[in-house]
Amino acid sequence: MDIYDKKDKFFVAVDCIIFGFDKGKIKLLVFNRKIDPFKGAVSLVGSFVRIGETVSEAAVRILKEFTGLENVYMKELSTYSSVDRDPGYRCISVAQYALIRIDNDIKTLIEERGAKWFDIENIPELVLDHNEMVMDALERIQKIARYEPIGFELLPKKFTIPQLQTLYEAIYRRKLDPRNFRKKILSLDVIIKLHEKDKTGSKKGAFLYKFDYKKYIDLQKSGYNFEI
Amino acid sequence: MDIYDKKDKFFVAVDCIIFGFDKGKIKLLVFNRKIDPFKGAVSLVGSFVRIGETVSEAAVRILKEFTGLENVYMKELSTYSSVDRDPGYRCISVAQYALIRIDNDIKTLIEERGAKWFDIENIPELVLDHNEMVMDALERIQKIARYEPIGFELLPKKFTIPQLQTLYEAIYRRKLDPRNFRKKILSLDVIIKLHEKDKTGSKKGAFLYKFDYKKYIDLQKSGYNFEI
DNA sequence: TCAAAAGTGTTCTCAATACACCCATGA
DNA sequence: TCATGGGTGTATTGAGAACACTTTTGA
């Protein structure tokens, strides 16, 4: 007889809160459940952790199974453990979030599997406590965006300064001054101007930039103040 | 037959990383395990979550059982879920941390139960992955201290500005300018000067202050920049 | 030719930093 | 009387915020 014999055991799940950015809006990745429980309802990407993997490995596996996405760097948000959060079973969920670049490959992958993007200003009713998780994740990224160059992860590899500004405006939910924004971003010295223009946004066209990843990593480490 | 039947179940634990501040040093609360497993080893305060409680309720219960401490506001740090983190059993642990005021009542409570404080510059070998948890928690509080008035939670109800400065110096691990420190703290307008002096630190004595809790809460919400 | 978005500079305010001396008191 | 820590003020620098006009070009 050993102390562990008397202890309770739990189902442990992970739920992935995946944000993207497309057409000036922040999007959330969700899918329609095809099986019970909650068949037909809208849910975050999530499932159960297996005995032989860590929570973080489970998140990677589950995201891949549901959406085909790979190489997504997720961070832990929080655990959700209300006794009645899942009405049928006692299950603790560890929510993980990530910000990803939505490119055409990803669009195709995701559509094939029946997942879809919802504008975060207009998120539908989700199963269980998933709406609460999403709200917490949004709060988290708003907070983090003030101190880390988080926004860059959401943009395509080549992007314009007005696009970057639109992204920050979506995160902060307020308008920013284009002159001050440009000055601040350029002063950080983490983006490199290219000799191409993007003409989809205007007739004049805006210069494309790319990240200087090395400097970007340094900036992340130093905890530089990104408040805009 | 139902999908839950095939899923794995886990032991779920909480480990509490409790920091205090005494004699100019940040301290960590640990205890000597009196029972197996790891009898005699040094460990964080921690135990198993029960089926009928949330992780956070478990943390409160466990902290009270081990130390007698009540009304401690713990925040979630992270989950620790390596497959082999506990060599005997598959157990996921949710680490929670808190900063508390060490007063005489607390000293008595804790000593009675065989828990003790270690200087964080000199933490002993702890069981399992507890050292990793402590390192992660220290990193977290250093980061958070830059944006929230976190340090105040560690001081006695009445404290002097030099004491507060010593605390921030311990968190940041560097010396601060006393004139600039005083100016910054007073400009935040969250401490109230009392008409008493503390003479334990010097012959001249230093004026005692107390918190203005209302303003302190506002400051926490606004995410004011506390970088010093 | 004009509508629509991109791009550019200056001023002002305020907070952070650097820095040196006097004060009060118990031993 | 003197050693010890407490307490004070100023000048400089740099970043953030406010703010309006010119440029480019496809329709």
Side-chain angles (χ1 to χ4, degrees):
Chain A
M1 173 78 189
D2 146 333
I3 65 149
Y4 289 91
D5 294 341
K6 294 180 290 197
K7 304 302 169 188
D8 299 319
K9 287 183 138 187
F10 297 78
F11 293 114
V12 177
V14 283
D15 288 297
C16 304
I17 302 144
I18 308 294
F19 294 112
F21 182 67
D22 193 30
K23 301 193 185 69
K25 305 277 188 183
I26 297 178
K27 308 281 184 176
L28 173 71
L29 184 63
V30 295
F31 77 110
N32 285 308
R33 293 177 71 105
K34 297 198 192 72
I35 51 167
D36 268 319
F38 308 111
K39 186 172 172 175
V42 184
S43 164
L44 290 173
V45 170
S47 184
F48 292 93
V49 179
R50 295 180 183 158
I51 207 83
E53 65 189 359
T54 65
V55 168
S56 153
E57 286 160 3
V60 170
R61 171 181 60 77
I62 289 162
L63 187 63
K64 172 144 195 230
E65 282 174 15
F66 280 76
T67 66
L69 290 173
E70 286 188 271
N71 300 316
V72 173
Y73 176 57
M74 282 176 277
K75 288 188 192 167
E76 184 171 329
L77 177 65
S78 182
T79 61
Y80 292 79
S81 61
S82 298
V83 173
D84 56 358
R85 60 177 292 282
D86 188 327
Y89 302 85
R90 185 70 182 99
C91 174
I92 288 177
S93 176
V94 183
Q96 306 252 338
Y97 70 95
L99 304 170
I100 68 168
R101 199 187 315 286
I102 306 182
D103 57 25
N104 286 331
D105 291 359
I106 285 176
K107 275 190 182 158
T108 312
L109 266 179
I110 283 172
E111 278 163 21
E112 277 169 3
R113 315 226 178 185
K116 53 190 171 188
W117 295 102
F118 267 90
D119 190 313
I120 57 153
E121 301 291 342
N122 194 20
I123 292 169
E125 179 96 0
L126 305 175
V127 300
L128 304 178
D129 48 7
H130 288 192
N131 287 92
E132 185 190 346
M133 292 178 182
V134 172
M135 289 302 129
D136 292 347
L138 278 170
E139 209 171 282
R140 174 76 61 95
I141 65 168
Q142 265 182 35
K143 197 159 192 178
I144 287 186
R146 297 215 301 247
Y147 315 120
E148 292 179 31
I150 199 174
F152 294 156
E153 299 170 35
L154 290 158
L155 287 175
K157 295 208 169 148
K158 295 176 183 182
F159 57 90
T160 67
I161 289 181
Q163 276 167 14
L164 186 60
Q165 180 174 341
T166 308
L167 167 58
Y168 273 89
E169 287 176 342
I171 292 174
Y172 295 141
R173 296 174 187 232
R174 65 185 168 93
K175 285 284 169 195
L176 302 171
D177 181 282
R179 287 159 296 189
N180 293 339
F181 182 82
R182 182 177 292 266
K183 200 193 310 174
K184 171 82 180 185
I185 291 296
L186 291 174
S187 77
L188 297 175
D189 195 28
V190 287
I191 63 175
I192 298 168
K193 192 174 187 173
L194 304 175
H195 298 283
E196 310 165 60
K197 279 192 163 187
D198 172 276
K199 295 229 170 189
T200 60
S202 72
K203 290 159 186 172
K204 184 178 176 183
F207 276 103
L208 287 162
Y209 288 76
K210 65 173 183 176
F211 300 118
D212 184 329
Y213 279 98
K214 195 185 162 318
K215 286 184 180 163
Y216 163 70
I217 298 299
D218 292 347
L219 203 59
Q220 254 182 336
K221 280 186 195 148
S222 71
Y224 182 88
N225 187 5
F226 230 70
E227 201 148 4
I228 290 177
Chain B
M1 172 77 190
D2 152 326
I3 65 147
Y4 290 91
D5 294 342
K6 293 180 292 197
K7 304 302 170 187
D8 299 318
K9 287 183 137 186
F10 297 77
F11 293 114
V12 176
V14 283
D15 288 297
C16 304
I17 301 143
I18 309 294
F19 294 112
F21 182 67
D22 193 30
K23 301 193 184 71
K25 304 278 187 178
I26 297 179
K27 307 281 184 176
L28 172 71
L29 185 63
V30 295
F31 77 109
N32 285 308
R33 293 177 72 105
K34 296 198 194 72
I35 52 168
D36 268 319
F38 308 110
K39 185 173 174 177
V42 184
S43 165
L44 290 173
V45 170
S47 183
F48 292 93
V49 180
R50 294 181 183 155
I51 208 82
E53 66 188 357
T54 65
V55 168
S56 152
E57 286 160 1
V60 170
R61 172 181 59 78
I62 289 162
L63 187 63
K64 172 145 193 231
E65 283 174 13
F66 279 75
T67 67
L69 292 172
E70 286 189 89
N71 300 316
V72 173
Y73 176 56
M74 281 176 278
K75 289 189 190 166
E76 184 172 329
L77 177 65
S78 182
T79 60
Y80 291 78
S81 61
S82 298
V83 173
D84 56 357
R85 60 176 292 282
D86 189 327
Y89 302 84
R90 186 70 181 101
C91 174
I92 287 177
S93 175
V94 182
Q96 308 252 338
Y97 70 95
L99 304 170
I100 69 168
R101 198 187 315 286
I102 306 182
D103 56 25
N104 286 330
D105 291 359
I106 285 177
K107 274 190 183 159
T108 312
L109 267 179
I110 283 172
E111 278 163 23
E112 277 169 3
R113 314 224 179 188
K116 54 189 172 190
W117 295 102
F118 267 90
D119 190 313
I120 57 153
E121 301 291 341
N122 194 20
I123 292 169
E125 179 94 3
L126 305 175
V127 300
L128 303 177
D129 48 7
H130 288 193
N131 286 92
E132 186 189 346
M133 293 178 181
V134 172
M135 289 302 129
D136 292 346
L138 278 170
E139 210 171 283
R140 173 77 61 93
I141 65 169
Q142 264 182 35
K143 197 159 192 176
I144 287 185
R146 296 215 303 245
Y147 315 120
E148 292 179 31
I150 198 174
F152 295 157
E153 299 170 37
L154 290 158
L155 287 176
K157 294 206 169 148
K158 295 176 182 180
F159 57 90
T160 67
I161 290 182
Q163 275 166 15
L164 186 59
Q165 180 174 342
T166 308
L167 167 58
Y168 273 89
E169 287 176 341
I171 293 174
Y172 294 142
R173 296 174 189 231
R174 64 184 169 93
K175 285 284 168 193
L176 301 171
D177 181 284
R179 286 158 297 191
N180 294 339
F181 183 82
R182 182 177 293 266
K183 199 193 310 173
K184 171 82 182 187
I185 291 297
L186 291 174
S187 77
L188 296 174
D189 195 29
V190 287
I191 63 175
I192 298 168
K193 191 173 186 174
L194 303 174
H195 298 284
E196 310 165 59
K197 279 192 164 186
D198 172 274
K199 296 227 171 188
T200 60
S202 73
K203 290 158 186 172
K204 184 177 176 183
F207 276 104
L208 287 162
Y209 288 77
K210 64 172 183 177
F211 299 117
D212 184 329
Y213 278 97
K214 196 185 162 316
K215 287 186 180 162
Y216 163 70
I217 297 300
D218 292 347
L219 203 60
Q220 254 183 336
K221 279 185 195 148
S222 71
Y224 182 87
N225 186 5
F226 230 71
E227 200 148 4
I228 289 176

